[in-house]
Amino acid sequence: LGSSHGFGAPWIPWMPWMSWRRCLHLAATGLLIWLTLGGVKRRNLSTCPGCEGVKELASIAREKPTRLSAAEALECLQRTEPPWLYAFGDSLSRGVFFDIISLLNGTENVTHPGHSANFSAHCTILEKRPPTNRTKCGGFDYVVLGQGGVYPADSVHHTGSRRLRLTFRLKTFTSDTAFDAPSLHVLSANSQPPSILLMSFGLWDMQYPQGSPEEGLRSFQQHLSAFLDTLQQTFPVKRPRIFWLTLTAVASSKLPVWKRPLLSPQMAKRYNDLSEQLLRPRGIELIDTFTSSQQHPEESKDGVHFPGKVSMGFAHQLLRALCL
């Protein structure tokens, strides 16, 4: 058991007289010692016929945890420099933004009212957006004073650059260049731009295409490419770490009848495939919201939004990508 042959892990021999339980015990012990001492190479455990369970144990040891606790998420976000997450996108980004607030506040199991398009408590800007041009909230700003202490920035006295800041700014259509300019100017003019930028758009382009659905897809491609070029110019020296939420898998059966000719999981996938071709070469990290929403269409009330456990899962995907 104490001998080694170049792999950095103890060698576990197989003897015919060993029971499978004894073998499993010895193998598991060896594996734990190896992990503790920082073993540098993966060991092939197939030489122990009764030790199939050890492979599973090794796999579990290598897997990342699926969810971060509130304390872990807060510690990770506060490590960023500066500690500022800026969400710039549509209702999908807004939902994940408020899910992170719920997690940090210890209310993960309660859907935040910010998932609703009509939520406007402590709104930082009210504005009219096409195509309906009805007034709605276009921004939120929160500060984190500690675990369980996420507050609207205008409701508490806070000083010091080390306070974690969470900001949301609405972007609906990809072609919303008139709204992009002031939003991006806030980022470029700040002496310390955010360290994390979360983006998502495309849903409105798909729902209200400029022409036919195919023309809408081409318009999305053209405007997304132009937006990404502008975004690159916004951060000439140091850019934030940028994440993109893919379009969800539309739950067609939950859609109003008038939306069904325009929205579908097939079209959402085409938007995702197209955007991926533009995003990955620019080093933007993708958060896959399509897969889990496709697996749980019953969790959507309107066919495109998945408040509750599915959207919270998106938030945890983001935090895993950022922190682990």
Side-chain angles (χ1 to χ4, degrees), residues 155-230:
S155 68
V156 293
H157 176 70
H158 58 91
T159 58
S161 60
R162 295 309 304 169
R163 295 291 190 189
L164 173 61
R165 183 180 175 188
L166 306 171
T167 305
F168 170 77
R169 188 71 176 93
L170 177 66
K171 177 175 173 62
T172 51
F173 291 99
T174 310
S175 56
D176 265 352
T177 54
F179 291 96
D180 292 345
S183 300
L184 295 178
H185 176 72
V186 169
L187 301 182
S188 61
N190 200 296
S191 60
Q192 285 193 309
S195 57
I196 309 159
L197 179 59
L198 175 66
M199 301 190 302
S200 70
F201 25 92
L203 177 61
W204 285 64
D205 302 78
M206 183 168 55
Q207 183 169 314
Y208 300 101
Q210 297 180 0
S212 69
E214 291 298 324
E215 290 171 324
L217 191 62
R218 289 193 293 271
S219 174
F220 171 76
Q221 179 182 30
Q222 173 190 346
H223 286 103
L224 178 58
S225 180
F227 171 81
L228 293 173
D229 289 341
T230 302

Side-chain angles (χ1 to χ4, degrees), residues 67 108 111 296 298-299 306-314 316:
R67 290 174 178 259
E108 180 177 355
T111 300
H296 297 283
E298 74 283 356
E299 295 294 327
F306 294 79
K309 65 180 183 181
V310 175
S311 182
M312 183 60 74
F314 303 157
H316 278 285

